[in-house]
Amino acid sequence: MLRPIDNYFLKQPEPLKSCLEFMRAYLLKADPNLKEDWKYGMPFYCYKGKMCCYLWVHKKYGQPYLGIVEGHSIDHPDLLTEKRARMKILLLDPEKDLPMKKINTIMKAVLALYRNGDVL
């Protein structure tokens, strides 16, 4: 029987599915302390037990995105706040090559927050 998190990825239509599955693999390789968990009905990635980021599909735009829990601490022009106070998101276009340089830059800053103990 599939876990809810595995089912989430499998039930996504293409090209969302491929984009989300790539990001899932990317996050799981980003740092050995980053672990996958199923929280609030969505795939979360926790750094040493602390919620770090998550993957989801934007309801309005229908695009997958990388959600950054401590987004308010990351300054990057492509991170969107929308109506969130703490979190920011990076929209991903599943029809195009993913902007890996941008993703790497953002994740480097995110992981630095957790490694340096700047997250409570």
Side-chain angles (χ1 to χ4, degrees):
M1 182 173 199
L2 288 176
R3 300 176 305 158
I5 197 164
D6 297 320
N7 194 45
Y8 170 78
F9 288 99
L10 287 174
K11 74 175 186 175
Q12 299 300 321
E14 289 293 355
L16 301 178
K17 179 180 177 181
S18 294
C19 181
L20 289 166
E21 285 182 334
F22 175 85
M23 286 303 299
R24 179 188 200 185
Y26 169 85
L27 291 170
L28 291 172
K29 292 178 186 172
D31 187 287
N33 294 303
L34 205 57
K35 305 294 182 196
E36 187 175 63
D37 202 357
W38 186 246
K39 293 182 179 287
Y40 310 106
M42 61 179 59
F44 259 89
Y45 299 84
C46 300
Y47 188 91
K48 294 185 178 180
K50 295 179 181 178
M51 291 188 297
C52 178
C53 55
Y54 61 97
L55 296 171
W56 200 242
V57 177
H58 199 286
K59 290 178 184 169
K60 181 177 179 182
Y61 303 119
Q63 287 181 264
Y65 69 82
L66 172 64
I68 308 296
V69 173
E70 298 294 335
H72 68 283
S73 298
I74 306 295
D75 184 27
H76 191 282
D78 293 322
L79 287 176
L80 305 175
T81 303
E82 297 182 311
K83 295 179 182 178
R84 300 169 185 88
R86 180 179 176 197
M87 300 184 190
K88 290 184 182 178
I89 67 169
L90 176 66
L91 284 173
L92 304 168
D93 187 343
E95 299 287 344
K96 297 180 180 176
D97 288 343
L98 291 177
M100 293 313 299
K101 184 175 179 182
K102 182 185 308 181
I103 293 168
N104 288 336
T105 298
I106 291 168
M107 284 307 298
K108 183 177 178 181
V110 169
L111 290 170
L113 286 175
Y114 288 82
R115 289 180 186 135
N116 296 335
D118 294 336
V119 177
L120 299 176

